[in-house]
Amino acid sequence: MDSLFDSVAASELVNELRVNFYKGTTRSYEWRVTQIKSMIKMMEDHEQDIVASLRQDLDKPEMESSIYEVAMLKSACKLALKQLKNWMKPEKVKTSLTTYPSSAQIVSEPLGVVLVISAWNYPILLSLDPVLGAIAAGNAVVLKPSEVSPASSALLAKLVPEYFDNSVIRVVEGAVSETSALLEQKWDKIFYTGNGRIGRIVMAAAAKHLTPVILELGGKSPVIVDSGIDLKTSVRRIIAGKWCCNNGQACISPDYVLTTKDYAPKLVEVLKTELENFYGKNPMESKDLSRIVNSNHFARLTKFLDDDKVAGKIIHGGERDESNLRIAPTILLDVPLNSLIMKEEIFGPLLPIITVDKIEESFGIVNAGTKPLAAYLFTNNDKLKEQFVSTISAGGLVVNDTTLAVSTLPFGGVGESGMGGYHGKFSFDALSHKKAVLYRGLSGDAAVRYPPYTPGKLNLLKALMGGSILGIIRALLGFSKA
Protein backbone atom coordinates (compact mmCIF):
# COMPACT_ATOMS: atom_id res chain seq x y z
CA MET A 1 0.00 0.00 0.00
CA ASP A 2 1.46 3.35 -1.07
CA SER A 3 0.01 5.58 1.66
CA LEU A 4 0.88 5.40 5.34
CA PHE A 5 -0.69 2.36 6.93
CA ASP A 6 -1.13 3.05 10.63
CA SER A 7 -3.63 2.07 13.32
CA VAL A 8 -6.26 4.41 11.89
CA ALA A 9 -5.91 2.93 8.41
CA ALA A 10 -5.96 -0.59 9.86
CA SER A 11 -9.13 0.16 11.82
CA GLU A 12 -10.82 1.59 8.74
CA LEU A 13 -9.83 -1.46 6.71
CA VAL A 14 -11.20 -3.94 9.25
CA ASN A 15 -14.43 -1.95 9.65
CA GLU A 16 -14.91 -1.82 5.88
CA LEU A 17 -14.40 -5.55 5.52
CA ARG A 18 -16.67 -6.28 8.46
CA VAL A 19 -19.47 -4.20 6.93
CA ASN A 20 -19.03 -6.02 3.63
CA PHE A 21 -18.90 -9.40 5.37
CA TYR A 22 -22.23 -8.73 7.10
CA LYS A 23 -23.83 -8.18 3.70
CA GLY A 24 -23.66 -11.97 3.43
CA THR A 25 -21.96 -12.29 0.05
CA THR A 26 -19.17 -14.54 1.31
CA ARG A 27 -21.58 -17.06 2.81
CA SER A 28 -22.83 -18.40 -0.50
CA TYR A 29 -21.40 -21.52 -2.08
CA GLU A 30 -21.21 -19.74 -5.43
CA TRP A 31 -19.05 -16.89 -4.11
CA ARG A 32 -16.61 -19.29 -2.49
CA VAL A 33 -16.29 -21.37 -5.66
CA THR A 34 -15.73 -18.27 -7.79
CA GLN A 35 -12.90 -17.06 -5.53
CA ILE A 36 -11.23 -20.49 -5.42
CA LYS A 37 -11.37 -20.77 -9.21
CA SER A 38 -9.85 -17.30 -9.40
CA MET A 39 -6.98 -18.51 -7.22
CA ILE A 40 -6.32 -21.37 -9.62
CA LYS A 41 -6.46 -19.01 -12.60
CA MET A 42 -4.06 -16.60 -10.92
CA MET A 43 -1.55 -19.41 -10.36
CA GLU A 44 -1.89 -20.62 -13.94
CA ASP A 45 -1.65 -17.16 -15.48
CA HIS A 46 1.35 -16.10 -13.41
CA GLU A 47 3.34 -19.24 -12.65
CA GLN A 48 6.46 -17.81 -14.29
CA ASP A 49 6.05 -14.52 -12.40
CA ILE A 50 5.85 -16.52 -9.17
CA VAL A 51 8.95 -18.53 -10.10
CA ALA A 52 10.78 -15.28 -10.89
CA SER A 53 9.80 -13.65 -7.59
CA LEU A 54 10.96 -16.71 -5.65
CA ARG A 55 14.22 -16.74 -7.59
CA GLN A 56 14.68 -13.09 -6.65
CA ASP A 57 13.83 -13.59 -2.96
CA LEU A 58 15.54 -16.93 -2.31
CA ASP A 59 17.20 -18.04 -5.56
CA LYS A 60 14.74 -20.92 -5.26
CA PRO A 61 15.05 -23.53 -8.05
CA GLU A 62 12.20 -23.51 -10.55
CA MET A 63 11.26 -27.11 -9.75
CA GLU A 64 10.83 -26.36 -6.05
CA SER A 65 8.86 -23.19 -6.83
CA SER A 66 6.58 -24.84 -9.37
CA ILE A 67 5.92 -27.96 -7.29
CA TYR A 68 5.95 -26.78 -3.67
CA GLU A 69 4.42 -23.35 -4.17
CA VAL A 70 2.25 -23.49 -7.30
CA ALA A 71 1.25 -27.12 -7.87
CA MET A 72 0.60 -27.83 -4.19
CA LEU A 73 -1.66 -24.78 -3.93
CA LYS A 74 -3.56 -25.66 -7.09
CA SER A 75 -4.04 -29.18 -5.75
CA ALA A 76 -5.45 -27.76 -2.50
CA CYS A 77 -7.82 -25.53 -4.49
CA LYS A 78 -9.07 -28.45 -6.58
CA LEU A 79 -9.70 -30.53 -3.47
CA ALA A 80 -11.68 -27.64 -1.96
CA LEU A 81 -13.78 -27.29 -5.12
CA LYS A 82 -14.51 -31.01 -5.11
CA GLN A 83 -15.41 -31.26 -1.43
CA LEU A 84 -16.80 -27.82 -0.53
CA LYS A 85 -20.49 -28.75 -0.76
CA ASN A 86 -19.93 -31.64 1.63
CA TRP A 87 -17.89 -29.46 3.99
CA MET A 88 -20.66 -26.86 4.09
CA LYS A 89 -23.50 -29.31 4.75
CA PRO A 90 -24.88 -29.28 8.31
CA GLU A 91 -23.80 -32.40 10.18
CA LYS A 92 -26.71 -34.30 11.73
CA VAL A 93 -26.11 -35.59 15.26
CA LYS A 94 -28.10 -37.71 17.69
CA THR A 95 -30.14 -36.28 20.54
CA SER A 96 -31.04 -37.76 23.94
CA LEU A 97 -34.16 -38.86 25.77
CA THR A 98 -34.15 -35.61 27.73
CA THR A 99 -34.95 -33.60 24.58
CA TYR A 100 -37.26 -36.14 22.88
CA PRO A 101 -38.77 -35.47 20.38
CA SER A 102 -35.99 -33.40 18.79
CA SER A 103 -33.31 -33.24 16.12
CA ALA A 104 -29.90 -31.60 16.11
CA GLN A 105 -27.14 -30.56 13.76
CA ILE A 106 -23.77 -28.83 13.70
CA VAL A 107 -23.74 -25.89 11.30
CA SER A 108 -20.43 -24.55 9.97
CA GLU A 109 -20.60 -20.78 9.76
CA PRO A 110 -17.95 -18.20 8.80
CA LEU A 111 -16.09 -16.59 11.67
CA GLY A 112 -16.03 -13.11 10.11
CA VAL A 113 -12.86 -11.17 9.29
CA VAL A 114 -9.63 -13.18 9.42
CA LEU A 115 -6.03 -11.95 9.46
CA VAL A 116 -3.34 -14.11 7.81
CA ILE A 117 0.29 -13.23 8.57
CA SER A 118 2.50 -15.39 6.39
CA ALA A 119 6.14 -16.51 6.30
CA TRP A 120 9.06 -15.71 4.01
CA ASN A 121 10.34 -19.21 3.27
CA TYR A 122 7.36 -20.36 1.17
CA PRO A 123 5.90 -16.90 0.60
CA ILE A 124 3.27 -17.91 -1.96
CA LEU A 125 2.06 -21.23 -0.54
CA LEU A 126 2.07 -20.11 3.11
CA SER A 127 0.21 -16.93 2.15
CA LEU A 128 -2.47 -18.35 -0.10
CA ASP A 129 -3.12 -21.75 1.49
CA PRO A 130 -4.52 -20.15 4.68
CA VAL A 131 -6.38 -17.60 2.52
CA LEU A 132 -7.90 -20.55 0.63
CA GLY A 133 -9.15 -21.97 3.93
CA ALA A 134 -10.59 -18.61 4.93
CA ILE A 135 -12.41 -18.28 1.59
CA ALA A 136 -13.70 -21.86 1.67
CA ALA A 137 -15.13 -21.18 5.13
CA GLY A 138 -16.82 -17.99 3.87
CA ASN A 139 -14.74 -15.35 5.63
CA ALA A 140 -13.42 -11.94 4.70
CA VAL A 141 -9.63 -11.97 4.90
CA VAL A 142 -6.62 -9.65 5.09
CA LEU A 143 -3.27 -11.09 4.03
CA LYS A 144 -0.03 -9.66 5.40
CA PRO A 145 2.84 -11.24 3.40
CA SER A 146 6.34 -11.32 4.84
CA GLU A 147 8.52 -8.33 4.05
CA VAL A 148 11.56 -10.65 4.20
CA SER A 149 10.52 -11.93 0.74
CA PRO A 150 9.82 -8.53 -0.85
CA ALA A 151 9.43 -9.65 -4.48
CA SER A 152 6.82 -12.26 -3.57
CA SER A 153 5.05 -9.81 -1.27
CA ALA A 154 4.87 -7.21 -4.04
CA LEU A 155 3.60 -9.79 -6.53
CA LEU A 156 0.80 -10.85 -4.16
CA ALA A 157 -0.13 -7.21 -3.54
CA LYS A 158 -0.39 -6.72 -7.30
CA LEU A 159 -2.24 -9.93 -8.22
CA VAL A 160 -4.74 -10.41 -5.38
CA PRO A 161 -6.77 -7.26 -6.23
CA GLU A 162 -6.85 -8.33 -9.89
CA TYR A 163 -8.23 -11.82 -9.25
CA PHE A 164 -10.24 -11.70 -6.02
CA ASP A 165 -13.25 -9.86 -4.60
CA ASN A 166 -11.53 -6.74 -3.31
CA SER A 167 -14.48 -5.83 -1.09
CA VAL A 168 -13.63 -8.67 1.30
CA ILE A 169 -10.12 -9.88 0.36
CA ARG A 170 -7.16 -7.52 0.78
CA VAL A 171 -3.37 -7.52 0.99
CA VAL A 172 -1.40 -5.21 3.29
CA GLU A 173 2.33 -4.95 2.65
CA GLY A 174 4.84 -3.65 5.14
CA ALA A 175 7.07 -4.56 8.06
CA VAL A 176 6.87 -4.24 11.84
CA SER A 177 4.83 -1.01 12.04
CA GLU A 178 2.18 -2.22 9.58
CA THR A 179 1.93 -5.61 11.27
CA SER A 180 1.64 -3.93 14.67
CA ALA A 181 -1.17 -1.71 13.36
CA LEU A 182 -3.01 -4.78 12.12
CA LEU A 183 -2.51 -6.64 15.40
CA GLU A 184 -4.08 -3.78 17.36
CA GLN A 185 -7.41 -4.47 15.66
CA LYS A 186 -10.13 -6.91 16.63
CA TRP A 187 -10.18 -9.92 14.32
CA ASP A 188 -12.33 -13.03 14.39
CA LYS A 189 -9.25 -15.22 13.96
CA ILE A 190 -5.55 -14.69 13.36
CA PHE A 191 -3.52 -17.22 11.37
CA TYR A 192 0.23 -16.75 11.84
CA THR A 193 3.09 -18.72 10.29
CA GLY A 194 6.60 -18.01 11.54
CA ASN A 195 8.77 -18.30 14.62
CA GLY A 196 7.88 -18.64 18.27
CA ARG A 197 9.14 -15.20 19.29
CA ILE A 198 6.74 -13.40 16.96
CA GLY A 199 4.09 -16.03 17.69
CA ARG A 200 4.08 -14.91 21.32
CA ILE A 201 3.62 -11.29 20.22
CA VAL A 202 0.71 -12.30 17.98
CA MET A 203 -0.91 -14.31 20.74
CA ALA A 204 -0.53 -11.51 23.29
CA ALA A 205 -2.12 -9.02 20.89
CA ALA A 206 -4.96 -11.43 20.12
CA ALA A 207 -5.62 -12.02 23.82
CA LYS A 208 -6.59 -8.36 24.30
CA HIS A 209 -9.63 -8.98 22.08
CA LEU A 210 -10.14 -12.67 23.02
CA THR A 211 -9.34 -13.47 19.40
CA PRO A 212 -8.52 -17.14 18.72
CA VAL A 213 -5.27 -17.90 16.92
CA ILE A 214 -3.70 -20.54 14.74
CA LEU A 215 0.06 -20.52 15.20
CA GLU A 216 2.14 -22.50 12.71
CA LEU A 217 5.61 -22.32 14.24
CA GLY A 218 8.51 -24.77 14.05
CA GLY A 219 11.08 -26.43 16.25
CA LYS A 220 13.87 -28.96 16.05
CA SER A 221 12.41 -31.78 13.96
CA PRO A 222 14.47 -34.94 14.54
CA VAL A 223 15.25 -37.81 12.17
CA ILE A 224 15.88 -41.15 13.90
CA VAL A 225 17.76 -43.58 11.67
CA ASP A 226 17.71 -47.27 12.63
CA SER A 227 20.09 -49.86 11.21
CA GLY A 228 19.10 -52.59 8.75
CA ILE A 229 17.27 -50.26 6.37
CA ASP A 230 17.57 -49.42 2.68
CA LEU A 231 20.15 -46.78 3.46
CA LYS A 232 20.46 -45.22 0.00
CA THR A 233 16.71 -44.63 -0.30
CA SER A 234 16.50 -43.37 3.28
CA VAL A 235 19.37 -40.93 2.80
CA ARG A 236 17.91 -39.60 -0.45
CA ARG A 237 14.64 -38.94 1.38
CA ILE A 238 16.47 -37.17 4.21
CA ILE A 239 18.28 -34.99 1.66
CA ALA A 240 14.97 -34.32 -0.11
CA GLY A 241 13.46 -33.08 3.14
CA LYS A 242 16.52 -31.10 4.22
CA TRP A 243 18.29 -29.54 1.25
CA CYS A 244 15.66 -30.00 -1.50
CA CYS A 245 13.19 -27.99 0.58
CA ASN A 246 14.53 -24.45 0.32
CA ASN A 247 18.00 -25.53 1.48
CA GLY A 248 16.79 -26.38 4.97
CA GLN A 249 14.75 -23.18 5.36
CA ALA A 250 11.49 -25.00 6.04
CA CYS A 251 9.53 -25.43 9.27
CA ILE A 252 9.39 -29.25 8.92
CA SER A 253 12.90 -29.64 7.55
CA PRO A 254 14.95 -32.33 9.35
CA ASP A 255 16.86 -30.42 12.03
CA TYR A 256 19.16 -33.13 13.33
CA VAL A 257 19.76 -36.89 13.00
CA LEU A 258 19.91 -39.50 15.74
CA THR A 259 21.54 -42.86 15.02
CA THR A 260 23.74 -45.42 16.74
CA LYS A 261 27.50 -45.06 17.06
CA ASP A 262 27.93 -48.24 15.02
CA TYR A 263 25.67 -47.11 12.18
CA ALA A 264 26.82 -43.48 11.94
CA PRO A 265 29.87 -44.12 9.69
CA LYS A 266 27.72 -45.89 7.08
CA LEU A 267 25.09 -43.14 7.24
CA VAL A 268 27.68 -40.39 6.84
CA GLU A 269 29.34 -42.11 3.89
CA VAL A 270 26.06 -42.47 1.99
CA LEU A 271 25.06 -38.89 2.86
CA LYS A 272 28.31 -37.61 1.34
CA THR A 273 27.89 -39.74 -1.78
CA GLU A 274 24.28 -38.75 -2.43
CA LEU A 275 24.91 -35.06 -1.72
CA GLU A 276 27.60 -35.13 -4.40
CA ASN A 277 25.26 -36.98 -6.76
CA PHE A 278 22.60 -34.30 -6.23
CA TYR A 279 24.69 -31.12 -6.11
CA GLY A 280 28.07 -31.99 -7.62
CA LYS A 281 31.56 -31.64 -6.23
CA ASN A 282 31.06 -27.90 -5.71
CA PRO A 283 27.54 -27.40 -4.29
CA MET A 284 28.21 -23.67 -3.89
CA GLU A 285 27.75 -23.41 -7.66
CA SER A 286 24.65 -25.63 -7.82
CA LYS A 287 21.52 -24.08 -9.32
CA ASP A 288 19.42 -26.62 -7.41
CA LEU A 289 20.01 -25.10 -3.96
CA SER A 290 18.28 -22.00 -2.62
CA ARG A 291 20.44 -19.31 -1.08
CA ILE A 292 20.10 -18.07 2.49
CA VAL A 293 17.30 -15.51 2.57
CA ASN A 294 19.29 -12.52 3.90
CA SER A 295 22.41 -11.41 5.73
CA ASN A 296 20.79 -11.68 9.17
CA HIS A 297 20.00 -15.35 8.68
CA PHE A 298 23.44 -15.93 7.16
CA ALA A 299 25.02 -14.44 10.29
CA ARG A 300 22.77 -16.58 12.51
CA LEU A 301 23.84 -19.79 10.73
CA THR A 302 27.50 -18.74 10.73
CA LYS A 303 27.28 -18.27 14.49
CA PHE A 304 26.22 -21.93 14.83
CA LEU A 305 29.28 -23.06 12.84
CA ASP A 306 31.69 -20.77 14.71
CA ASP A 307 30.63 -22.03 18.14
CA ASP A 308 33.77 -23.45 19.80
CA LYS A 309 31.81 -26.55 20.79
CA VAL A 310 31.11 -27.56 17.17
CA ALA A 311 33.92 -25.93 15.16
CA GLY A 312 35.81 -29.24 15.00
CA LYS A 313 32.75 -31.37 14.33
CA ILE A 314 32.22 -30.47 10.65
CA ILE A 315 32.83 -33.61 8.57
CA HIS A 316 31.34 -32.44 5.28
CA GLY A 317 30.74 -29.05 3.70
CA GLY A 318 31.05 -25.92 5.77
CA GLU A 319 31.93 -23.64 2.86
CA ARG A 320 30.39 -20.17 2.95
CA ASP A 321 30.07 -17.21 0.62
CA GLU A 322 28.69 -14.21 2.47
CA SER A 323 28.54 -11.98 -0.61
CA ASN A 324 26.20 -14.43 -2.35
CA LEU A 325 24.50 -15.64 0.86
CA ARG A 326 25.43 -19.25 0.21
CA ILE A 327 26.34 -22.02 2.64
CA ALA A 328 27.11 -25.52 1.37
CA PRO A 329 25.23 -28.56 2.69
CA THR A 330 27.05 -29.23 5.95
CA ILE A 331 27.17 -32.32 8.15
CA LEU A 332 28.41 -32.21 11.74
CA LEU A 333 29.07 -35.38 13.74
CA ASP A 334 28.72 -35.84 17.50
CA VAL A 335 27.95 -32.24 18.36
CA PRO A 336 27.33 -31.70 22.09
CA LEU A 337 23.69 -31.44 23.12
CA ASN A 338 24.47 -28.20 24.95
CA SER A 339 25.95 -26.51 21.85
CA LEU A 340 24.19 -23.52 20.31
CA ILE A 341 23.19 -25.46 17.19
CA MET A 342 21.28 -27.96 19.35
CA LYS A 343 19.52 -25.30 21.41
CA GLU A 344 17.79 -23.45 18.57
CA GLU A 345 15.96 -24.39 15.40
CA ILE A 346 18.59 -24.40 12.64
CA PHE A 347 16.45 -23.38 9.63
CA GLY A 348 19.29 -23.78 7.18
CA PRO A 349 21.61 -26.25 5.40
CA LEU A 350 23.38 -27.54 8.53
CA LEU A 351 22.67 -31.10 9.73
CA PRO A 352 24.10 -32.30 13.07
CA ILE A 353 24.26 -36.04 13.74
CA ILE A 354 23.93 -37.23 17.34
CA THR A 355 25.02 -40.77 18.17
CA VAL A 356 23.63 -43.10 20.83
CA ASP A 357 24.48 -46.61 21.99
CA LYS A 358 20.98 -47.97 21.37
CA ILE A 359 18.46 -46.47 18.95
CA GLU A 360 15.75 -46.49 21.65
CA GLU A 361 17.79 -43.89 23.56
CA SER A 362 16.87 -41.41 20.81
CA PHE A 363 13.34 -41.08 22.14
CA GLY A 364 14.56 -39.68 25.46
CA ILE A 365 16.74 -37.09 23.71
CA VAL A 366 13.83 -35.93 21.55
CA ASN A 367 11.42 -35.75 24.48
CA ALA A 368 13.95 -33.81 26.58
CA GLY A 369 13.48 -30.85 24.25
CA THR A 370 10.41 -28.87 23.25
CA LYS A 371 7.81 -30.64 21.13
CA PRO A 372 8.78 -30.37 17.45
CA LEU A 373 6.53 -29.65 14.49
CA ALA A 374 7.54 -32.96 12.92
CA ALA A 375 9.53 -36.09 13.76
CA TYR A 376 10.82 -38.74 11.40
CA LEU A 377 11.86 -42.38 11.82
CA PHE A 378 13.56 -44.71 9.35
CA THR A 379 13.22 -48.35 10.36
CA ASN A 380 11.90 -51.76 9.34
CA ASN A 381 11.21 -52.67 12.96
CA ASP A 382 7.47 -52.69 13.68
CA LYS A 383 8.02 -52.58 17.43
CA LEU A 384 10.19 -49.48 17.06
CA LYS A 385 7.52 -47.85 14.88
CA GLU A 386 4.91 -48.47 17.58
CA GLN A 387 7.22 -47.10 20.27
CA PHE A 388 7.93 -44.03 18.12
CA VAL A 389 4.23 -43.26 17.64
CA SER A 390 3.33 -43.84 21.30
CA THR A 391 6.37 -42.07 22.77
CA ILE A 392 7.13 -39.03 20.64
CA SER A 393 4.86 -35.98 20.92
CA ALA A 394 5.10 -33.80 17.81
CA GLY A 395 2.84 -31.97 15.42
CA GLY A 396 3.10 -34.87 13.01
CA LEU A 397 5.11 -38.06 12.50
CA VAL A 398 6.38 -39.69 9.32
CA VAL A 399 7.86 -43.18 9.16
CA ASN A 400 10.40 -43.90 6.40
CA ASP A 401 10.20 -40.48 4.74
CA THR A 402 10.40 -36.76 5.54
CA THR A 403 8.44 -33.53 4.99
CA LEU A 404 5.42 -35.20 3.40
CA ALA A 405 1.93 -33.85 4.07
CA VAL A 406 -1.41 -35.19 2.87
CA SER A 407 -4.71 -33.33 2.80
CA THR A 408 -6.48 -35.99 4.87
CA LEU A 409 -4.21 -35.29 7.84
CA PRO A 410 -4.05 -32.05 9.85
CA PHE A 411 -0.85 -30.04 9.61
CA GLY A 412 0.08 -28.16 12.74
CA GLY A 413 2.17 -28.08 15.87
CA VAL A 414 1.84 -28.87 19.55
CA GLY A 415 3.30 -27.00 22.50
CA GLU A 416 5.97 -24.58 21.33
CA SER A 417 5.72 -25.76 17.73
CA GLY A 418 2.29 -24.19 17.44
CA MET A 419 -1.44 -24.67 17.88
CA GLY A 420 -4.22 -25.48 15.48
CA GLY A 421 -4.04 -27.53 12.29
CA TYR A 422 -4.97 -26.96 8.68
CA HIS A 423 -4.90 -28.41 5.12
CA GLY A 424 -7.97 -29.71 3.30
CA LYS A 425 -11.08 -29.95 5.45
CA PHE A 426 -8.99 -29.09 8.51
CA SER A 427 -8.52 -25.60 7.05
CA PHE A 428 -12.26 -25.24 6.56
CA ASP A 429 -12.96 -26.42 10.11
CA ALA A 430 -10.23 -24.26 11.67
CA LEU A 431 -11.68 -21.12 10.08
CA SER A 432 -15.35 -21.94 10.75
CA HIS A 433 -17.48 -21.73 13.86
CA LYS A 434 -19.20 -25.04 14.61
CA LYS A 435 -22.62 -23.80 15.63
CA ALA A 436 -24.77 -26.19 17.68
CA VAL A 437 -28.45 -26.19 16.65
CA LEU A 438 -31.24 -28.09 18.44
CA TYR A 439 -34.76 -28.29 16.96
CA ARG A 440 -37.83 -29.10 19.12
CA GLY A 441 -41.55 -28.92 18.60
CA LEU A 442 -43.98 -27.31 21.03
CA SER A 443 -46.10 -30.42 21.51
CA GLY A 444 -45.52 -33.09 24.14
CA ASP A 445 -44.37 -30.71 26.84
CA ALA A 446 -43.44 -32.53 30.07
CA ALA A 447 -44.47 -31.06 33.42
CA VAL A 448 -41.62 -32.89 35.14
CA ARG A 449 -39.13 -30.10 34.37
CA TYR A 450 -41.23 -27.35 35.98
CA PRO A 451 -41.94 -26.36 39.60
CA PRO A 452 -43.28 -27.25 42.03
CA TYR A 453 -40.40 -29.75 42.41
CA THR A 454 -41.30 -33.11 43.96
CA PRO A 455 -39.38 -36.29 44.85
CA GLY A 456 -41.20 -38.07 42.03
CA LYS A 457 -40.10 -35.46 39.47
CA LEU A 458 -36.55 -35.67 40.79
CA ASN A 459 -36.48 -39.46 40.40
CA LEU A 460 -37.88 -39.27 36.88
CA LEU A 461 -35.40 -36.58 35.79
CA LYS A 462 -32.51 -38.62 37.24
CA ALA A 463 -33.72 -41.63 35.29
CA LEU A 464 -34.03 -39.59 32.09
CA MET A 465 -30.54 -38.17 32.55
CA GLY A 466 -29.18 -41.65 33.21
CA GLY A 467 -30.69 -42.94 29.98
CA SER A 468 -31.92 -46.22 31.47
CA ILE A 469 -35.28 -47.39 30.13
CA LEU A 470 -35.76 -49.63 33.18
CA GLY A 471 -34.96 -46.70 35.48
CA ILE A 472 -37.53 -44.50 33.71
CA ILE A 473 -40.20 -47.18 34.07
CA ARG A 474 -39.40 -47.57 37.77
CA ALA A 475 -39.63 -43.81 38.28
CA LEU A 476 -42.95 -43.60 36.46
CA LEU A 477 -44.26 -46.43 38.67
CA GLY A 478 -43.30 -44.41 41.75
CA PHE A 479 -40.35 -46.38 43.03
CA SER A 480 -38.13 -44.15 45.16
CA LYS A 481 -34.89 -45.16 43.42
CA ALA A 482 -34.87 -45.13 39.65
Side-chain angles (χ1 to χ4, degrees), residues 68 225 229-245 254 267 270-279 378 400-403:
Y68 296 130
V225 180
I229 57 174
D230 180 341
L231 189 52
K232 181 178 179 179
T233 298
S234 300
V235 162
R236 289 166 75 91
R237 291 179 179 183
I238 292 170
I239 293 172
K242 180 67 173 180
W243 292 284
C244 300
C245 286
L267 173 62
V270 179
L271 270 167
K272 291 179 179 180
T273 299
E274 292 305 318
L275 279 170
E276 185 174 321
N277 288 340
F278 285 8
Y279 302 115
F378 287 86
N400 291 329
D401 214 325
T402 64
T403 64

Side-chain angles (χ1 to χ4, degrees), residues 178-206:
E178 290 81 5
T179 305
S180 298
L182 289 168
L183 287 173
E184 288 176 14
Q185 312 310 312
K186 177 173 174 56
W187 303 90
D188 295 295
K189 197 150 199 176
I190 299 175
F191 192 121
Y192 169 75
T193 304
N195 63 58
R197 182 178 65 84
I198 304 300
R200 286 171 169 82
I201 294 171
V202 170
M203 196 170 182

Side-chain angles (χ1 to χ4, degrees), residues 54 57-58 60 69 116-130 143-150 152-153 156 191-195 198 216-218 246 249-251 293 297 347 411 422:
L54 292 166
D57 286 331
L58 292 150
K60 189 174 283 194
E69 304 255 16
V116 173
I117 306 174
S118 67
W120 55 261
N121 56 331
Y122 287 84
I124 304 299
L125 177 69
L126 296 183
S127 292
L128 294 179
D129 202 359
L143 168 64
K144 166 60 183 68
S146 174
E147 70 279 8
V148 180
S149 292
S152 299
S153 177
L156 286 167
F191 192 121
Y192 169 75
T193 304
N195 63 58
I198 304 300
E216 297 294 340
L217 308 178
N246 206 24
Q249 298 169 111
C251 57
V293 66
H297 282 275
F347 223 73
F411 179 87
Y422 74 121

Side-chain angles (χ1 to χ4, degrees), residues 68-190:
Y68 296 130
E69 304 255 16
V70 177
M72 282 185 67
L73 185 62
K74 285 169 63 178
S75 177
C77 288
K78 290 172 182 177
L79 175 68
L81 289 174
K82 183 178 180 181
Q83 297 293 336
L84 187 57
K85 272 189 179 176
N86 290 328
W87 296 348
M88 291 176 66
K89 282 181 183 176
E91 178 189 351
K92 292 183 178 179
V93 294
K94 292 181 178 179
T95 58
S96 67
L97 279 171
T98 55
T99 60
Y100 180 85
S102 63
S103 63
Q105 57 184 204
I106 300 169
V107 176
S108 296
E109 70 172 6
L111 291 169
V113 185
V114 172
L115 173 64
V116 173
I117 306 174
S118 67
W120 55 261
N121 56 331
Y122 287 84
I124 304 299
L125 177 69
L126 296 183
S127 292
L128 294 179
D129 202 359
V131 169
L132 168 63
I135 290 169
N139 297 289
V141 59
V142 172
L143 168 64
K144 166 60 183 68
S146 174
E147 70 279 8
V148 180
S149 292
S152 299
S153 177
L155 184 63
L156 286 167
K158 174 180 177 290
L159 296 180
V160 167
E162 294 178 13
Y163 283 84
F164 294 95
D165 182 350
N166 202 38
S167 70
V168 283
I169 302 172
R170 299 285 182 87
V171 174
V172 173
E173 283 198 283
V176 175
S177 61
E178 290 81 5
T179 305
S180 298
L182 289 168
L183 287 173
E184 288 176 14
Q185 312 310 312
K186 177 173 174 56
W187 303 90
D188 295 295
K189 197 150 199 176
I190 299 175

Side-chain angles (χ1 to χ4, degrees), residues 64 121-122 217-223 237-257 301 344-352 372-376 396 398 401-404 411:
E64 289 187 32
N121 56 331
Y122 287 84
L217 308 178
K220 296 187 73 64
S221 297
V223 183
R237 291 179 179 183
I238 292 170
I239 293 172
K242 180 67 173 180
W243 292 284
C244 300
C245 286
N246 206 24
N247 204 6
Q249 298 169 111
C251 57
I252 54 173
S253 172
D255 192 273
Y256 64 101
V257 171
L301 292 165
E344 299 178 19
E345 182 179 10
I346 295 170
F347 223 73
L350 320 178
L351 185 66
L373 185 55
Y376 309 109
V398 180
D401 214 325
T402 64
T403 64
L404 295 181
F411 179 87

Side-chain angles (χ1 to χ4, degrees), residues 340-367:
L340 186 61
I341 199 170
M342 289 305 297
K343 289 181 178 178
E344 299 178 19
E345 182 179 10
I346 295 170
F347 223 73
L350 320 178
L351 185 66
I353 298 175
I354 310 297
T355 58
V356 292
D357 292 322
K358 294 182 179 180
I359 199 65
E360 290 82 3
E361 295 171 18
S362 302
F363 300 145
I365 294 174
V366 174
N367 286 333

Side-chain angles (χ1 to χ4, degrees), residues 221-337:
S221 297
V223 183
I224 301 170
V225 180
D226 192 16
S227 58
I229 57 174
D230 180 341
L231 189 52
K232 181 178 179 179
T233 298
S234 300
V235 162
R236 289 166 75 91
R237 291 179 179 183
I238 292 170
I239 293 172
K242 180 67 173 180
W243 292 284
C244 300
C245 286
N246 206 24
N247 204 6
Q249 298 169 111
C251 57
I252 54 173
S253 172
D255 192 273
Y256 64 101
V257 171
L258 289 153
T259 193
T260 61
K261 290 180 172 66
D262 293 338
Y263 204 61
K266 296 178 184 177
L267 173 62
V268 168
E269 195 60 35
V270 179
L271 270 167
K272 291 179 179 180
T273 299
E274 292 305 318
L275 279 170
E276 185 174 321
N277 288 340
F278 285 8
Y279 302 115
K281 291 186 180 297
N282 187 359
M284 298 289 278
E285 296 179 358
S286 174
K287 300 298 182 185
D288 295 328
L289 279 169
S290 300
R291 65 165 167 79
I292 307 307
V293 66
N294 59 28
S295 57
N296 289 337
H297 282 275
F298 186 93
R300 180 183 60 80
L301 292 165
T302 298
K303 189 176 178 182
F304 289 150
L305 292 177
D306 291 342
D307 180 4
D308 290 340
K309 293 179 181 178
V310 305
K313 304 292 185 178
I314 298 171
I315 58 170
H316 181 80
E319 298 85 3
R320 327 166 195 175
D321 179 355
E322 186 173 2
S323 62
N324 291 307
L325 297 175
R326 293 197 170 274
I327 299 176
T330 300
I331 303 170
L332 306 95
L333 182 62
D334 282 326
V335 302
L337 290 175

